[in-house]
Amino acid sequence: MTDHQLTSEPPHRNTATRRGYLRKVGAAVMAAAVAHRFRFRSMGSPRPAPAAGKSVQLHIYIETKTGQGKALEELYRSDYVPAIRVQPGFLGSRLLRHYDSAERYEIDITFKSEAQRAAWAQSAEHQKAWPKVEALSSKVSAQGFDVLAEMVKS
C-alpha cells in the first residue's frame, strides 16, 4: 500500500485515483461486514430471547387451490378462529389476502410465548381445524417472529 492509502484523507490528484480509492475503501468495509456477520453465525450462537413482556407471531403463507379462496375465508371465520380463540396465551389473529390475487393469503397468529403457540399446534382444536385449511391449499409455508415493538392506534 502507498502512504495515501493508509490515511483517512482520499487522494485528490485525479478522478481515476479517487474512484480507485473509494472502491478499495468500499471493498474493505464490505469484507469487514461479511466477516463480522459470518463470525457470529458460524459460532452457533443461540437465537436471542425476545424482550420481556413481548409476544411471538407466526405468519402462515397460503396459496389456495384454484377457486378455493372464498372457502378459506369462510373456514377461517367458522372453524379456525373459534378453535384458536380458546387457547392459553392467544392474543390475536388476522387473515390477509394479497391485493393482486384471489388465491394468495396470509394468516398471522400472535401468542404470549412460543411455548403457548407450540401447544396450540398440538391441541385437539388445531388437529381438527388445520387439516381443513390444508385441504383448500396448494402450498403452505410459515415464518415465526419475536415481536420486539408494536404500535396500535387507539
Side-chain angles (χ1 to χ4, degrees):
M1 290 186 129
T2 63
D3 289 339
H4 76 274
Q5 290 173 322
L6 298 175
T7 67
S8 60
E9 294 291 322
H12 296 288
R13 285 185 232 155
N14 61 44
T15 303
T17 305
R18 239 179 282 138
R19 284 187 186 141
Y21 175 81
L22 292 174
R23 276 191 207 111
K24 287 178 184 177
V25 170
V29 168
M30 183 61 84
V34 169
H36 176 76
R37 185 171 221 192
F38 177 75
R39 183 181 64 155
F40 284 105
R41 282 189 178 170
S42 66
M43 288 174 27
S45 56
R47 184 177 124 216
K54 301 300 178 192
S55 55
V56 297
Q57 286 189 356
L58 183 67
H59 294 216
I60 307 163
Y61 310 106
I62 301 169
E63 289 183 28
T64 63
K65 294 175 183 171
T66 303
Q68 295 298 309
K70 292 294 181 188
L72 177 66
E73 293 173 27
E74 178 55 35
L75 178 67
Y76 176 81
R77 291 179 193 92
S78 66
D79 289 39
Y80 192 82
V81 169
I84 198 170
R85 164 178 277 155
V86 299
Q87 300 304 309
F90 173 72
L91 297 175
S93 178
R94 62 184 178 177
L95 175 66
L96 306 171
R97 183 181 61 234
H98 286 253
Y99 286 128
D100 61 350
S101 176
E103 297 168 348
R104 292 175 46 209
Y105 288 83
E106 180 176 330
I107 297 175
D108 297 340
I109 61 174
T110 307
F111 279 84
K112 288 181 181 177
S113 72
E114 175 57 23
Q116 290 171 322
R117 192 222 44 90
W120 147 246
Q122 299 301 315
S123 71
E125 293 88 355
H126 185 275
Q127 300 306 317
K128 184 177 176 186
W130 186 249
K132 295 176 185 178
V133 172
E134 285 183 320
L136 300 173
S137 306
S138 61
K139 183 179 179 184
V140 177
S141 62
Q143 177 66 50
F145 297 90
D146 292 323
V147 178
L148 303 178
E150 192 167 21
M151 192 289 293
V152 178
K153 185 176 178 179
S154 51

